[in-house]
Amino acid sequence: MFSELFVHTHVISIVGDILTIQANDVGLGDLAMVENSTGERSLAQVTEIRKDQVALQVFSGGKGLSTDCQVRFLGHPAQVKFSQNILGRIFNGVGEPIDGGPALSSEPEIEIGGPSVNPVLRIVPKKMIETKVPMIDVFNCLVESQKIPIFSIAGEPYNKLLARVGIQADADIVVFCGLGLIFDEFHFFRSVFENAGVFPRTVMFANLASDPIVERLMAPDFALKVAERFAVEQNKRVLVLMSDMTAFADGLKEIGVAMERIPSNRGYMGDLYSQLAVRYERACDYKGAGSVTLLAVTTMPGNDVTHPVPDNTGYITEGQFYLHDGMIDPFGSLSRLKQQVIGSVTREDHSAVMNTMIRLFSGARDAQKKQQMAFDLSPFDHKLLRFGELFTERFMDIDVSLPLNDALDLGWKTMAECFEPQELLMRDHLIEKYFPNKPESATA
């Protein structure tokens, strides 16, 4: 009755890691066990079904396979262990422990994938996740249930920023998913989480660059399913960190080429948007339960924001953090949900400080251009230049760590060191309350 009761031997083709056989009663995404003529076995996943022709991506690769291999379908998609005992553990891209810890054979398993959350159960996000990174907390707040990428390029310290958010963020559980990591990157994340003491509330899924491509495509589903269960069943505020989604998209392209699919833009398959959206839309604030917030690195080849991966990502997500020259750019970054929390959840002066400092920093950039072109600078231009230097030093360095209220106070202090109160063009009651050197009218 079920396909797992039968051994399929009718192999149609073997192209790279793609094995195509004739079979029925098989579901897309189902797992299978492939055994070659020497008795060696490997897992495979159904990636395409055309009538009675089933294409499988073999985890260990197509090397050693022949047309007399045997395929047994397991009758279910990939499953992941889920319980409180997975906290503090490290798994590979298919959910197998790789940290040398005890086996989890007795823990319950849940199927990955499935539909995203019923929109009726989604609530409007109104809670902030404080990261203690001033360029995020002050200027582009991270809001619970937000899905937001870090746009960057190879060589930038995006992994350092991601790890810092992971250890400092105000979240109950952190789920990390590494995609195509080199060993040094994997060791960096593991060491940072362990040394910071947050490992007991962290789960890691790590797909290394040397691991099979198909595991790279499955790892986000494992991480997101675990995050979803912690949020729904245990009312946890879960932060999911991913690095990097461009490696995930490249894996989709590689498998698509092996399956002889017709590519779309720059070699990527036409379903790239859907594949990314399926993962990003797992971010949710659940009615009567917890939340899943997703922060994912997206590297831009050639710093090209029109590249298919960042371009499609921008349509799905709710803003972006733009990291370049080792700093988060306040002009290239955007959080579309920050207005949900600024001034209502955060301090009353938050919006004014944010807008005024960005306006002054923009003026500092213009003053720098005038200085470079040897134009005469006004006294106010010199003040702007001084403010730009302090702003870059005190706020834009990703190593700076400050609670939100301390960062707002530092913003007032920085403005007070460079400008008179009337030059800020802010509301009088805010200046009277927060400006470090209050004017005489306010102290009378």
Side-chain angles (χ1 to χ4, degrees):
M1 178 178 179
F2 297 101
S3 58
E4 67 265 27
L5 299 178
F6 301 95
V7 177
H8 298 272
T9 58
H10 190 172
V11 177
I12 298 174
S13 66
I14 302 174
V15 180
D17 300 342
I18 304 299
L19 171 67
T20 304
I21 66 169
Q22 186 174 359
N24 294 299
D25 300 325
V26 178
L28 189 65
D30 280 1
L31 294 180
M33 186 64 68
V34 180
E35 182 176 342
N36 62 20
S37 57
T38 62
E40 294 180 353
R41 296 182 176 184
S42 173
L43 277 175
Q45 184 184 40
V46 177
T47 55
E48 187 176 57
I49 301 175
R50 295 183 180 179
K51 295 183 179 180
D52 63 346
Q53 294 189 10
V54 179
L56 301 102
Q57 173 78 20
V58 183
F59 286 22
S60 62
K63 187 176 181 180
L65 291 181
S66 61
T67 54
D68 61 350
C69 66
Q70 299 180 347
V71 178
R72 292 180 176 85
F73 289 96
L74 305 184
H76 60 77
Q79 298 177 326
V80 61
K81 302 285 186 182
F82 175 76
S83 75
Q84 198 71 17
N85 293 331
I86 69 172
L87 292 175
R89 300 299 303 272
I90 305 175
F91 303 90
N92 63 12
V94 289
E96 299 171 340
I98 57 173
D99 55 1
L104 298 171
S105 56
S106 61
E107 302 297 335
E109 292 184 322
I110 54 176
E111 291 185 358
I112 67 171
S116 58
V117 181
N118 187 335
V120 176
L121 298 179
R122 294 176 181 263
I123 61 177
V124 178
K126 294 182 179 179
K127 300 175 184 176
M128 176 182 170
I129 294 182
E130 186 173 353
T131 66
K132 295 183 175 62
V133 178
M135 291 306 298
I136 295 178
D137 293 344
V138 177
F139 302 100
N140 285 290
C141 299
L142 182 63
V143 182
E144 275 193 36
S145 83
Q146 192 166 11
K147 44 189 182 291
I148 190 165
I150 298 173
F151 284 170
S152 189
I153 61 174
E156 290 287 344
Y158 48 80
N159 284 333
K160 181 179 180 180
L161 173 61
L162 201 66
R164 178 171 289 275
V165 171
I167 64 178
Q168 296 182 167
D170 178 24
D172 298 327
I173 290 176
V174 174
V175 179
F176 171 78
C177 179
L179 304 169
L181 301 178
I182 61 174
F183 182 79
D184 287 350
E185 293 172 328
F186 165 68
H187 180 70
F188 166 75
F189 280 107
R190 179 174 185 172
S191 300
V192 167
F193 292 145
E194 288 179 341
N195 295 337
V198 301
F199 214 68
R201 62 179 179 92
T202 302
V203 184
M204 292 183 65
F205 292 88
N207 166 260
L208 301 183
S210 57
D211 292 338
I213 293 294
V214 67
E215 294 185 14
R216 193 166 305 161
L217 306 187
M218 296 172 65
D221 295 329
F222 279 95
L224 290 167
K225 178 57 70 171
V226 165
E228 181 183 274
R229 289 301 176 183
F230 275 120
V232 173
E233 297 181 7
Q234 300 186 14
N235 295 343
K236 299 296 186 181
R237 301 163 65 239
V238 186
L239 176 63
V240 180
L241 308 174
M242 291 191 182
S243 180
D244 122 37
M245 290 301 286
T246 301
F248 170 81
D250 289 343
L252 289 172
K253 177 169 69 173
E254 187 171 333
I255 289 181
V257 170
M259 297 178 66
E260 300 180 350
R261 292 178 179 171
I262 299 175
S264 179
N265 189 9
R266 302 196 198 181
Y268 291 90
M269 301 299 112
D271 65 344
L272 176 62
Y273 178 93
S274 298
Q275 294 284 0
L276 292 173
V278 164
R279 277 79 190 180
Y280 279 112
E281 289 298 336
R282 295 283 179 183
C284 177
D285 198 349
Y286 297 92
K287 183 178 181 180
S291 63
V292 175
T293 307
L294 177 54
L295 180 62
V297 170
T298 297
T299 51
M300 302 181 295
N303 202 22
D304 180 12
V305 75
T306 68
H307 184 274
V309 181
D311 186 39
N312 280 277
T313 300
Y315 286 101
I316 302 166
T317 54
E318 295 144 345
Q320 71 280 329
F321 299 132
Y322 182 34
L323 179 70
H324 72 95
D325 296 332
M327 297 178 286
I328 299 177
D329 187 345
F331 304 121
S333 302
L334 171 67
S335 171
R336 294 190 177 94
L337 298 184
K338 64 183 178 181
Q339 302 303 332
Q340 302 281 15
V341 299
I342 290 180
S344 57
V345 175
T346 62
R347 214 166 70 181
E348 62 174 340
D349 61 324
H350 187 168
S351 179
V353 171
M354 172 186 70
N355 292 329
T356 302
M357 292 187 72
I358 289 297
R359 172 170 54 82
L360 294 173
F361 187 63
S362 176
R365 289 280 181 90
D366 292 338
Q368 286 178 345
K369 293 177 183 178
K370 291 172 63 176
Q371 187 180 48
Q372 291 168 356
M373 293 186 292
F375 287 118
D376 291 335
L377 299 179
S378 66
F380 190 71
D381 286 332
H382 286 288
K383 291 183 177 182
L384 289 171
L385 289 173
R386 173 59 178 160
F387 175 81
E389 294 173 358
L390 293 176
F391 183 89
T392 301
E393 174 187 343
R394 295 176 177 178
F395 291 90
M396 295 184 68
D397 189 337
I398 63 173
D399 288 327
V400 175
S401 176
L402 284 173
L404 174 59
N405 287 346
D406 290 349
L408 293 174
D409 291 339
L410 181 60
W412 282 105
K413 179 177 182 292
T414 303
M415 290 186 287
E417 290 177 4
C418 302
F419 304 99
E420 296 299 320
Q422 63 273 15
E423 293 177 317
L424 300 181
L425 304 178
M426 296 173 71
R427 293 183 182 274
D428 291 341
H429 76 277
L430 293 178
I431 290 179
E432 292 173 359
K433 186 174 181 179
Y434 295 104
F435 197 81
N437 300 315
K438 297 181 180 180
E440 294 181 2
S441 59
T443 58

